[in-house]
Amino acid sequence: MNNFTYNKDNSISMESYFRVYGFIAKYFAISFVAIMLSSCANKTGNSMFQTSENATNAYRCYLSEIRTLDDLTSEQFADVVNEWLTLRDSVFNCLARDSVVSIHSGHMGIVQEVNDSLRKEFVRISMSRQRTFSDVVYLHKEVSQHKYDQSLAKSSSMAEPFFESLDSVSPCRMKPQEIIAAYHSFLDKMLERGINNNEELLSFIKEEDRMFRSYLIHLSELANADLSAITQLTEKCCLSVFQATENGTISYDDALIYMAKRTNRRVILNAEACIGDVQKGLVRTGEQARAYVWMLLQPYITLDTLGAAVLSEAEYAKLGYIAGHTLQVIDKLNGIIGTDSDQYKELPALLIKILLTSI
């Protein structure tokens, strides 16, 4: 028995046909764009379109297709967003190549409006079902302009052994305030000496990582400590790295990749420490709990498209663990704070919206 209804002449009703296969057809129509892009890109260089008018009309049609979509899984949603990014690049490349014509014909304005509408549609689709923190992590990893950058992937892979080796460096065993003083002293010395080449960059990351892990040992005791001086010194050290790229003593690619991986490692270590402390019952005051909520959300707030692109498989697995425990831990922290608000359950949708507006 099938799901079709039939006309009097025993032909299949077209209304029935589209009701049964319409949902599949929507995805096929969208996915067909990706096939067209891959087959046409080689023919026209950076764009599959020959004229601004072709590009504008195609973008309008694509918007119409996207408006028919709803309630996508994260996997489906990531696929469609990546196809949009590919199409968007092709459309804007065509208009840039044909800039004089597109400006005078109004195509650029139309495409900008369509692009804004598409972004709103993707926000709508993202909010069409309840999203989780695991969805946020997945989409950060899968929706990226850097996803297919083989050069970036290779450079990131080459840097991985260095970051894996950091776990073998033992943290300092000091009292809480001694750690803060040692951390501050280390950063002062780094600024005085400067970070002027790759060797000094790796030395900075290695020792800073040791200091940071030493601080995390006492996180529950130092969660409310005034770390503004350390934060400011850290920012200056990071600025020193990028100043070295301007001087040509550190390559821009090395600075970008190593600093992105450094940030990934820090927010993951911090969030893991938060979860561990809450599970051990080390967070007891509302003030502590508020600080822990903020630290626990850092991986979702800090992770950008570059950071997501240089995640190792091990780091991605750790983020998955963090995402799987985030709601449970925030529940416990809210209990300590004394609030029964469940508004934080809407955070994944908000974080995905922020991601969509940033790409």
Side-chain angles (χ1 to χ4, degrees), residues 219-225 270-271 273-275 277-279 281-298 326-339 344 347:
L219 182 60
S220 62
E221 300 163 88
L222 296 171
N224 299 317
N270 200 171
C274 285
I275 293 172
D277 283 357
V278 172
Q279 291 175 337
L282 297 177
V283 182
R284 300 184 180 91
T285 70
E287 194 174 3
Q288 276 181 309
R290 290 186 183 91
Y292 270 68
V293 169
W294 176 246
M295 289 187 286
L296 190 59
L297 294 176
Q298 285 307 298
T326 297
L327 282 181
Q328 176 190 3
V329 172
I330 291 180
D331 264 334
K332 290 183 178 180
L333 292 171
N334 274 348
I336 296 168
I337 294 169
T339 176
Y344 61 88
L347 276 175

Side-chain angles (χ1 to χ4, degrees), residues 6 16 56 58 66 70 86 96 120 145 161 164 171 174 176 198 219 232 271 281 289 292 294 297 304-305 331 344:
Y6 293 84
S16 170
T56 302
I66 292 299
D70 196 13
T86 304
K120 291 176 183 177
Q145 296 97 320
E164 289 175 350
M174 301 178 182
N198 277 34
L219 182 60
Q232 291 170 8
Y292 270 68
W294 176 246
L297 294 176
D304 57 15
T305 55
D331 264 334
Y344 61 88

Side-chain angles (χ1 to χ4, degrees), residues 20-278:
V20 174
Y21 285 115
F23 193 70
I24 299 173
K26 290 176 184 178
Y27 292 118
F28 179 81
I30 302 300
S31 298
F32 186 66
V33 172
I35 298 172
M36 286 169 42
L37 289 169
S38 60
S39 63
C40 297
N42 291 333
K43 297 178 183 178
T44 58
N46 293 327
S47 176
M48 62 173 286
F49 303 108
Q50 296 293 341
T51 68
S52 295
E53 184 175 3
N54 292 153
T56 302
N57 290 338
Y59 215 32
R60 279 171 161 170
C61 290
Y62 184 72
L63 172 59
S64 297
E65 293 290 345
I66 292 299
R67 281 175 170 159
T68 67
L69 299 183
D70 196 13
D71 194 30
L72 304 185
T73 66
S74 290
E75 291 78 9
Q76 292 169 332
F77 186 58
D79 287 343
V80 175
V81 172
N82 280 322
E83 288 163 6
W84 165 50
L85 295 178
T86 304
L87 177 60
R88 184 183 69 180
D89 287 348
S90 189
V91 168
F92 278 93
N93 283 334
C94 178
L95 266 63
R97 186 187 63 212
D98 198 18
S99 58
V100 175
V101 175
S102 63
I103 290 172
H104 287 290
S105 63
H107 290 142
M108 183 62 78
I110 294 171
V111 165
Q112 291 284 9
E113 289 180 8
V114 171
N115 196 62
D116 290 342
S117 296
L118 278 165
R119 200 181 300 276
K120 291 176 183 177
E121 287 299 313
F122 284 116
V123 170
R124 173 189 62 79
I125 296 170
S126 74
M127 294 184 170
S128 63
R129 63 162 59 188
Q130 188 75 35
R131 303 292 176 180
T132 66
F133 285 102
S134 295
D135 291 328
V136 177
V137 172
Y138 176 81
L139 290 171
H140 265 291
K141 185 173 184 292
E142 294 300 317
V143 177
S144 172
Q145 296 97 320
H146 306 289
K147 184 179 179 181
Y148 302 109
D149 188 333
Q150 295 302 315
S151 176
L152 178 63
K154 182 180 178 181
S155 297
S156 177
S157 178
M158 290 175 64
E160 198 54 42
F162 167 76
F163 285 93
E164 289 175 350
S165 73
L166 298 180
D167 290 326
S168 64
V169 180
S170 298
C172 304
R173 298 296 175 179
M174 301 178 182
K175 295 179 181 179
Q177 292 306 319
E178 291 175 342
I179 287 293
I180 298 301
Y183 205 155
H184 193 290
S185 176
F186 156 69
L187 292 171
D188 263 336
K189 290 177 181 177
M190 284 304 305
L191 279 176
E192 184 179 346
R193 187 179 69 187
I195 303 171
N196 303 301
N197 53 50
N198 277 34
E199 184 179 352
E200 291 177 356
L201 170 62
L202 299 188
S203 176
F204 162 69
I205 293 175
K206 182 177 181 179
E207 184 61 18
E208 184 203 31
D209 186 83
R210 185 170 77 102
M211 288 293 169
F212 187 67
R213 286 184 291 116
S214 303
Y215 156 75
L216 292 178
I217 292 172
H218 302 284
L219 182 60
S220 62
E221 300 163 88
L222 296 171
N224 299 317
D226 182 6
L227 301 177
S228 57
I230 287 179
T231 300
Q232 291 170 8
L233 289 171
T234 301
E235 290 173 353
K236 290 179 180 179
C237 285
C238 293
L239 181 60
S240 175
V241 172
F242 288 100
Q243 285 175 335
T245 66
E246 295 180 4
N247 299 331
T249 55
I250 298 177
S251 77
Y252 181 75
D253 286 348
D254 281 346
L256 211 57
I257 291 169
Y258 277 89
M259 295 302 281
K261 292 183 75 66
R262 163 195 168 273
T263 299
N264 286 350
R265 179 174 167 84
R266 284 167 64 90
V267 296
I268 289 171
L269 286 170
N270 200 171
E272 286 178 326
C274 285
I275 293 172
D277 283 357
V278 172

